[in-house]
Amino acid sequence: MYGWRGRIGLIVPSSNTTMEMELHEALPEGVSLHTARMPLKGVTEEELLKMSALAVESAKLLKDADVDLILYGCTSGSFIGGENFENELEEKIEDEVKIPVVTTSSAILAALNALEAQQILVLTPYTEEINKREREFLEANEFEVLDIRGMGIVENTKIGRLEPYEAYRLAKAMFTEEADALFISCTNFRTFEIIEALEDDLGVPVITSNQASLWYALRELEINESILGLGTLLREY
């Protein structure tokens, strides 16, 4: 049977072309991934809030697959409503399906805390509007955002076509030695190939939305296997 160690039910925006691929590549043996989708084409505040309202229906479909955990796999979609939005979203879904739920934003907060990072740099593909919301969310959760830089992209499929080297080059260009960690935001931003190289070159832990989501989901399933090639978080924590 697929998922004999654990089954992760993943909810992603309909236009996400990256998260499933990255997670499938890294899943430990015996862990399976099962996906449902919510309509979203553009990464705007209006569309993200509209999408989040449909999360329960997607979760109900995943419940039919007898999953052990539901992962709401959208970074901006799980912080867009403010400081406690990710917790409220988890509770709303859990109340309906009676299955544990985690979001990408809660995974990021847990990862930053595990790494004891306080002063962080944030790289995103988002517009300034979404970056402002992300800064507010992180600062409300007591992290100091030294800098946040976006690429101004609204169309989500365009984000999915970005090459990993683009994240690498932008991250190096914005790096400052004051930073405790670098966070690359967005589950549709391909990053797995460059996490180790960035950590080697910058000398600080690198967190990405998909890496943190995978780490947190496995931790919640009590699967403590170390995963190599995806940075300090999955190797040591």
Side-chain angles (χ1 to χ4, degrees):
M1 150 181 123
Y2 289 107
W4 52 270
R5 291 173 78 185
R7 291 179 176 174
I8 299 171
L10 174 65
I11 305 176
V12 290
S14 57
S15 51
N16 189 305
T17 57
T18 301
M19 190 172 194
E20 293 158 289
M21 300 301 104
E22 291 201 323
L23 265 58
H24 272 299
E25 288 178 9
L27 286 173
E29 182 179 357
V31 180
S32 60
L33 187 73
H34 311 273
T35 310
R37 292 179 177 264
M38 307 169 291
L40 181 107
K41 292 184 178 179
V43 186
T44 66
E45 187 168 355
E46 181 182 1
E47 283 203 49
L48 290 166
L49 288 170
K50 184 178 179 181
M51 179 188 71
S52 69
L54 302 173
V56 168
E57 294 308 311
S58 297
K60 287 179 179 178
L61 296 176
L62 289 170
K63 184 177 182 179
D64 292 345
D66 197 23
V67 298
D68 300 299
L69 176 83
I70 290 176
L71 168 59
Y72 185 91
C74 182
T75 320
S76 52
S78 54
F79 69 63
I80 198 66
E83 178 181 357
N84 296 310
F85 187 69
E86 86 287 1
N87 289 327
E88 294 166 2
L89 191 57
E90 289 170 357
E91 290 172 4
K92 178 182 176 182
I93 300 171
E94 284 182 4
D95 286 346
E96 288 288 336
V97 298
K98 312 304 180 189
I99 297 169
V101 178
V102 297
T103 69
T104 295
S105 287
S106 59
I108 290 157
L109 297 179
L112 289 169
N113 283 317
L115 293 166
E116 298 183 348
Q118 286 298 316
Q119 296 179 302
I120 63 173
L121 298 169
V122 185
L123 173 62
T124 88
Y126 310 139
T127 62
E128 285 302 311
E129 173 194 34
I130 304 301
N131 278 353
K132 180 182 177 183
R133 297 296 185 206
E134 182 150 37
R135 178 189 282 274
E136 290 170 350
F137 173 76
L138 291 166
E139 290 180 345
N141 282 281
E142 301 184 351
F143 296 99
E144 181 181 354
V145 179
L146 298 175
D147 193 7
I148 180 168
R149 298 188 190 180
M151 302 171 72
I153 302 173
V154 172
E155 184 184 344
N156 201 29
T157 51
K158 186 175 180 181
I159 295 173
R161 289 193 291 269
L162 295 171
E163 295 288 347
Y165 75 82
E166 297 181 73
Y168 172 86
R169 292 177 65 180
L170 289 169
K172 286 198 75 173
M174 73 181 297
F175 184 70
T176 172
E177 293 184 358
E178 298 173 73
D180 298 324
L182 169 71
F183 166 43
I184 305 176
S185 183
C186 187
T187 61
N188 206 25
F189 199 177
R190 184 175 158 192
T191 59
F192 274 18
E193 294 94 330
I194 51 89
I195 293 172
E196 289 280 342
L198 273 176
E199 288 198 343
D200 289 343
D201 294 347
L202 302 181
V204 298
V206 174
I207 295 172
T208 78
S209 291
N210 290 341
Q211 169 224 45
S213 295
L214 175 62
W215 169 79
Y216 199 48
L218 293 175
R219 193 176 78 163
E220 292 297 299
L221 290 173
E222 299 182 346
I223 295 171
N224 300 314
E225 184 173 326
S226 178
I227 298 174
L228 302 180
L230 292 176
T232 304
L233 184 67
L234 279 165
R235 185 176 62 251
E236 297 182 14
Y237 290 85

PDB file of all heavy atoms in Angstrom, residues 43-46 79-80 126-136 154:
ATOM      1  N   VAL A  43      -1.707  35.856  -8.229  1.00  0.00           N
ATOM      2  CA  VAL A  43      -1.346  36.011  -6.815  1.00  0.00           C
ATOM      3  C   VAL A  43      -1.650  37.448  -6.402  1.00  0.00           C
ATOM      4  O   VAL A  43      -0.784  38.320  -6.361  1.00  0.00           O
ATOM      5  CB  VAL A  43       0.133  35.654  -6.579  1.00  0.00           C
ATOM      6  CG1 VAL A  43       0.449  35.689  -5.081  1.00  0.00           C
ATOM      7  CG2 VAL A  43       0.451  34.271  -7.143  1.00  0.00           C
ATOM      8  N   THR A  44      -2.934  37.683  -6.118  1.00  0.00           N
ATOM      9  CA  THR A  44      -3.405  38.972  -5.625  1.00  0.00           C
ATOM     10  C   THR A  44      -4.150  38.743  -4.325  1.00  0.00           C
ATOM     11  O   THR A  44      -4.620  37.628  -4.052  1.00  0.00           O
ATOM     12  CB  THR A  44      -4.360  39.647  -6.621  1.00  0.00           C
ATOM     13  OG1 THR A  44      -5.570  38.863  -6.724  1.00  0.00           O
ATOM     14  CG2 THR A  44      -3.726  39.777  -8.000  1.00  0.00           C
ATOM     15  N   GLU A  45      -4.263  39.775  -3.519  1.00  0.00           N
ATOM     16  CA  GLU A  45      -4.934  39.640  -2.227  1.00  0.00           C
ATOM     17  C   GLU A  45      -6.374  39.154  -2.405  1.00  0.00           C
ATOM     18  O   GLU A  45      -6.836  38.263  -1.682  1.00  0.00           O
ATOM     19  CB  GLU A  45      -4.911  40.978  -1.490  1.00  0.00           C
ATOM     20  CG  GLU A  45      -5.437  40.904  -0.076  1.00  0.00           C
ATOM     21  CD  GLU A  45      -5.138  42.164   0.722  1.00  0.00           C
ATOM     22  OE1 GLU A  45      -4.443  43.062   0.205  1.00  0.00           O
ATOM     23  OE2 GLU A  45      -5.586  42.240   1.876  1.00  0.00           O
ATOM     24  N   GLU A  46      -7.075  39.709  -3.379  1.00  0.00           N
ATOM     25  CA  GLU A  46      -8.472  39.329  -3.615  1.00  0.00           C
ATOM     26  C   GLU A  46      -8.602  37.858  -3.985  1.00  0.00           C
ATOM     27  O   GLU A  46      -9.435  37.133  -3.436  1.00  0.00           O
ATOM     28  CB  GLU A  46      -9.056  40.200  -4.725  1.00  0.00           C
ATOM     29  CG  GLU A  46     -10.509  39.896  -5.038  1.00  0.00           C
ATOM     30  CD  GLU A  46     -11.055  40.746  -6.180  1.00  0.00           C
ATOM     31  OE1 GLU A  46     -10.284  41.559  -6.742  1.00  0.00           O
ATOM     32  OE2 GLU A  46     -12.240  40.595  -6.509  1.00  0.00           O
ATOM     33  N   PHE A  79      -1.013  33.396   4.771  1.00  0.00           N
ATOM     34  CA  PHE A  79      -0.704  34.546   5.636  1.00  0.00           C
ATOM     35  C   PHE A  79      -1.492  35.794   5.263  1.00  0.00           C
ATOM     36  O   PHE A  79      -1.470  36.783   5.999  1.00  0.00           O
ATOM     37  CB  PHE A  79       0.799  34.869   5.633  1.00  0.00           C
ATOM     38  CG  PHE A  79       1.365  35.429   4.354  1.00  0.00           C
ATOM     39  CD1 PHE A  79       0.945  36.652   3.842  1.00  0.00           C
ATOM     40  CD2 PHE A  79       2.367  34.742   3.664  1.00  0.00           C
ATOM     41  CE1 PHE A  79       1.478  37.173   2.669  1.00  0.00           C
ATOM     42  CE2 PHE A  79       2.904  35.266   2.487  1.00  0.00           C
ATOM     43  CZ  PHE A  79       2.448  36.485   2.002  1.00  0.00           C
ATOM     44  N   ILE A  80      -2.220  35.754   4.160  1.00  0.00           N
ATOM     45  CA  ILE A  80      -2.800  36.965   3.588  1.00  0.00           C
ATOM     46  C   ILE A  80      -3.810  37.645   4.513  1.00  0.00           C
ATOM     47  O   ILE A  80      -4.018  38.861   4.435  1.00  0.00           O
ATOM     48  CB  ILE A  80      -3.450  36.654   2.214  1.00  0.00           C
ATOM     49  CG1 ILE A  80      -3.650  37.936   1.404  1.00  0.00           C
ATOM     50  CG2 ILE A  80      -4.740  35.870   2.383  1.00  0.00           C
ATOM     51  CD1 ILE A  80      -2.386  38.609   0.982  1.00  0.00           C
ATOM     52  N   TYR A 126       6.612  37.742  -5.569  1.00  0.00           N
ATOM     53  CA  TYR A 126       5.362  38.484  -5.449  1.00  0.00           C
ATOM     54  C   TYR A 126       5.492  39.963  -5.810  1.00  0.00           C
ATOM     55  O   TYR A 126       6.578  40.514  -5.957  1.00  0.00           O
ATOM     56  CB  TYR A 126       4.840  38.419  -4.006  1.00  0.00           C
ATOM     57  CG  TYR A 126       4.759  37.058  -3.381  1.00  0.00           C
ATOM     58  CD1 TYR A 126       5.143  36.874  -2.042  1.00  0.00           C
ATOM     59  CD2 TYR A 126       4.294  35.948  -4.077  1.00  0.00           C
ATOM     60  CE1 TYR A 126       5.061  35.637  -1.433  1.00  0.00           C
ATOM     61  CE2 TYR A 126       4.208  34.701  -3.473  1.00  0.00           C
ATOM     62  CZ  TYR A 126       4.601  34.557  -2.142  1.00  0.00           C
ATOM     63  OH  TYR A 126       4.533  33.339  -1.545  1.00  0.00           O
ATOM     64  N   THR A 127       4.325  40.604  -5.836  1.00  0.00           N
ATOM     65  CA  THR A 127       4.239  42.057  -5.980  1.00  0.00           C
ATOM     66  C   THR A 127       4.498  42.728  -4.637  1.00  0.00           C
ATOM     67  O   THR A 127       4.518  42.075  -3.583  1.00  0.00           O
ATOM     68  CB  THR A 127       2.836  42.457  -6.452  1.00  0.00           C
ATOM     69  OG1 THR A 127       1.884  42.057  -5.449  1.00  0.00           O
ATOM     70  CG2 THR A 127       2.476  41.807  -7.790  1.00  0.00           C
ATOM     71  N   GLU A 128       4.656  44.054  -4.667  1.00  0.00           N
ATOM     72  CA  GLU A 128       4.874  44.804  -3.436  1.00  0.00           C
ATOM     73  C   GLU A 128       3.682  44.680  -2.488  1.00  0.00           C
ATOM     74  O   GLU A 128       3.853  44.648  -1.264  1.00  0.00           O
ATOM     75  CB  GLU A 128       5.131  46.281  -3.760  1.00  0.00           C
ATOM     76  CG  GLU A 128       6.519  46.548  -4.318  1.00  0.00           C
ATOM     77  CD  GLU A 128       7.624  46.085  -3.378  1.00  0.00           C
ATOM     78  OE1 GLU A 128       7.561  46.416  -2.171  1.00  0.00           O
ATOM     79  OE2 GLU A 128       8.539  45.375  -3.840  1.00  0.00           O
ATOM     80  N   GLU A 129       2.478  44.593  -3.033  1.00  0.00           N
ATOM     81  CA  GLU A 129       1.274  44.446  -2.211  1.00  0.00           C
ATOM     82  C   GLU A 129       1.347  43.185  -1.353  1.00  0.00           C
ATOM     83  O   GLU A 129       1.089  43.217  -0.142  1.00  0.00           O
ATOM     84  CB  GLU A 129       0.028  44.393  -3.101  1.00  0.00           C
ATOM     85  CG  GLU A 129      -1.263  44.085  -2.355  1.00  0.00           C
ATOM     86  CD  GLU A 129      -2.407  43.718  -3.286  1.00  0.00           C
ATOM     87  OE1 GLU A 129      -2.158  43.084  -4.334  1.00  0.00           O
ATOM     88  OE2 GLU A 129      -3.556  44.046  -2.952  1.00  0.00           O
ATOM     89  N   ILE A 130       1.709  42.075  -1.969  1.00  0.00           N
ATOM     90  CA  ILE A 130       1.792  40.797  -1.249  1.00  0.00           C
ATOM     91  C   ILE A 130       3.002  40.793  -0.322  1.00  0.00           C
ATOM     92  O   ILE A 130       2.944  40.283   0.809  1.00  0.00           O
ATOM     93  CB  ILE A 130       1.823  39.614  -2.230  1.00  0.00           C
ATOM     94  CG1 ILE A 130       0.611  39.644  -3.160  1.00  0.00           C
ATOM     95  CG2 ILE A 130       1.873  38.293  -1.452  1.00  0.00           C
ATOM     96  CD1 ILE A 130      -0.727  39.584  -2.464  1.00  0.00           C
ATOM     97  N   ASN A 131       4.115  41.364  -0.772  1.00  0.00           N
ATOM     98  CA  ASN A 131       5.292  41.447   0.100  1.00  0.00           C
ATOM     99  C   ASN A 131       5.005  42.234   1.367  1.00  0.00           C
ATOM    100  O   ASN A 131       5.505  41.902   2.448  1.00  0.00           O
ATOM    101  CB  ASN A 131       6.457  42.101  -0.648  1.00  0.00           C
ATOM    102  CG  ASN A 131       7.196  41.116  -1.534  1.00  0.00           C
ATOM    103  OD1 ASN A 131       6.926  39.921  -1.510  1.00  0.00           O
ATOM    104  ND2 ASN A 131       8.128  41.622  -2.319  1.00  0.00           N
ATOM    105  N   LYS A 132       4.231  43.288   1.243  1.00  0.00           N
ATOM    106  CA  LYS A 132       3.868  44.075   2.424  1.00  0.00           C
ATOM    107  C   LYS A 132       3.110  43.221   3.425  1.00  0.00           C
ATOM    108  O   LYS A 132       3.368  43.265   4.631  1.00  0.00           O
ATOM    109  CB  LYS A 132       3.019  45.270   2.006  1.00  0.00           C
ATOM    110  CG  LYS A 132       2.589  46.155   3.166  1.00  0.00           C
ATOM    111  CD  LYS A 132       1.704  47.305   2.680  1.00  0.00           C
ATOM    112  CE  LYS A 132       1.209  48.136   3.881  1.00  0.00           C
ATOM    113  NZ  LYS A 132       0.293  49.229   3.456  1.00  0.00           N
ATOM    114  N   ARG A 133       2.179  42.407   2.944  1.00  0.00           N
ATOM    115  CA  ARG A 133       1.424  41.510   3.822  1.00  0.00           C
ATOM    116  C   ARG A 133       2.333  40.457   4.465  1.00  0.00           C
ATOM    117  O   ARG A 133       2.171  40.103   5.639  1.00  0.00           O
ATOM    118  CB  ARG A 133       0.304  40.820   3.039  1.00  0.00           C
ATOM    119  CG  ARG A 133      -0.742  41.758   2.483  1.00  0.00           C
ATOM    120  CD  ARG A 133      -1.483  42.463   3.568  1.00  0.00           C
ATOM    121  NE  ARG A 133      -2.558  43.284   3.056  1.00  0.00           N
ATOM    122  CZ  ARG A 133      -3.043  44.358   3.656  1.00  0.00           C
ATOM    123  NH1 ARG A 133      -2.515  44.762   4.802  1.00  0.00           N
ATOM    124  NH2 ARG A 133      -4.029  45.033   3.133  1.00  0.00           N
ATOM    125  N   GLU A 134       3.298  39.983   3.696  1.00  0.00           N
ATOM    126  CA  GLU A 134       4.203  38.966   4.247  1.00  0.00           C
ATOM    127  C   GLU A 134       5.096  39.569   5.327  1.00  0.00           C
ATOM    128  O   GLU A 134       5.329  38.961   6.371  1.00  0.00           O
ATOM    129  CB  GLU A 134       5.051  38.339   3.155  1.00  0.00           C
ATOM    130  CG  GLU A 134       5.977  37.247   3.665  1.00  0.00           C
ATOM    131  CD  GLU A 134       6.269  36.177   2.655  1.00  0.00           C
ATOM    132  OE1 GLU A 134       6.392  36.497   1.461  1.00  0.00           O
ATOM    133  OE2 GLU A 134       6.379  35.004   3.052  1.00  0.00           O
ATOM    134  N   ARG A 135       5.615  40.759   5.081  1.00  0.00           N
ATOM    135  CA  ARG A 135       6.415  41.426   6.100  1.00  0.00           C
ATOM    136  C   ARG A 135       5.603  41.623   7.379  1.00  0.00           C
ATOM    137  O   ARG A 135       6.094  41.341   8.491  1.00  0.00           O
ATOM    138  CB  ARG A 135       6.915  42.776   5.592  1.00  0.00           C
ATOM    139  CG  ARG A 135       7.729  43.548   6.638  1.00  0.00           C
ATOM    140  CD  ARG A 135       8.019  44.960   6.189  1.00  0.00           C
ATOM    141  NE  ARG A 135       9.102  45.036   5.229  1.00  0.00           N
ATOM    142  CZ  ARG A 135      10.383  45.112   5.552  1.00  0.00           C
ATOM    143  NH1 ARG A 135      10.755  45.097   6.844  1.00  0.00           N
ATOM    144  NH2 ARG A 135      11.314  45.202   4.616  1.00  0.00           N
ATOM    145  N   GLU A 136       4.374  42.101   7.239  1.00  0.00           N
ATOM    146  CA  GLU A 136       3.509  42.326   8.403  1.00  0.00           C
ATOM    147  C   GLU A 136       3.277  41.035   9.172  1.00  0.00           C
ATOM    148  O   GLU A 136       3.306  41.026  10.408  1.00  0.00           O
ATOM    149  CB  GLU A 136       2.174  42.915   7.955  1.00  0.00           C
ATOM    150  CG  GLU A 136       2.266  44.347   7.445  1.00  0.00           C
ATOM    151  CD  GLU A 136       0.993  44.832   6.790  1.00  0.00           C
ATOM    152  OE1 GLU A 136       0.076  44.007   6.560  1.00  0.00           O
ATOM    153  OE2 GLU A 136       0.907  46.034   6.480  1.00  0.00           O
ATOM    154  N   VAL A 154       2.440  38.468 -10.969  1.00  0.00           N
ATOM    155  CA  VAL A 154       1.071  38.175 -10.545  1.00  0.00           C
ATOM    156  C   VAL A 154       0.624  36.808 -11.070  1.00  0.00           C
ATOM    157  O   VAL A 154       0.028  36.015 -10.338  1.00  0.00           O
ATOM    158  CB  VAL A 154       0.097  39.270 -11.032  1.00  0.00           C
ATOM    159  CG1 VAL A 154      -1.353  38.871 -10.751  1.00  0.00           C
ATOM    160  CG2 VAL A 154       0.415  40.605 -10.353  1.00  0.00           C
TER     161      VAL A 154
END
